[in-house]
Amino acid sequence: MVSSTPSKPVSSEDIVAQKYDRCLADLLVKSGIGFSVGVVASVILFRRRAWPVALTTGFGAGVAYADCDRTFNPARIAGVRVLHRQEQQEQQPSSPESK
């Protein structure tokens, strides 16, 4: 059954905490995947050298950082432009009734 009680508004601290938790989980997962790929590449291709592990772990952490940056600052998404109020009013087409 669906409850008819109104839902409680979510505080901004909770929203930031959820984003931060998601970023940390993403960092652990992507760095772990990078570490795993690095270990496999090191054993199979590079005669047990350490640099493939460090490189791919860094790649995973970098991708996680980029995703987290986009989560906290959506204006950094490619192709998105933030308009100020004056620019928004200039770009809105005027209706033929107002002329």
Side-chain angles (χ1 to χ4, degrees):
M1 283 186 146
V2 176
S3 171
S4 63
T5 60
S7 62
K8 191 169 71 168
V10 180
S11 68
S12 61
E13 292 89 8
D14 290 339
I15 293 171
V16 171
Q18 288 174 353
K19 288 181 180 183
Y20 187 70
D21 289 344
R22 194 174 307 125
C23 286
L24 283 177
D26 198 32
L27 174 71
L28 289 173
V29 168
K30 290 186 179 177
S31 294
I33 290 172
F35 180 81
S36 302
V37 169
V39 167
V40 170
S42 176
V43 169
I44 293 175
L45 300 174
F46 298 108
R47 291 185 271 163
R48 298 182 191 226
R49 310 259 186 212
W51 66 266
V53 177
L55 181 71
T56 55
T57 302
F59 283 164
V63 170
Y65 177 81
D67 289 344
C68 188
D69 188 39
R70 277 187 240 115
T71 300
F72 279 104
N73 190 1
R76 291 187 187 223
I77 297 174
V80 173
R81 189 169 142 219
V82 178
L83 297 176
H84 300 287
R85 287 188 186 263
Q86 185 179 10
E87 292 176 9
Q88 287 176 346
Q89 291 172 352
E90 291 172 0
Q91 288 188 354
Q92 289 178 349
S94 59
S95 64
E97 298 168 359
S98 64
K99 289 184 180 182

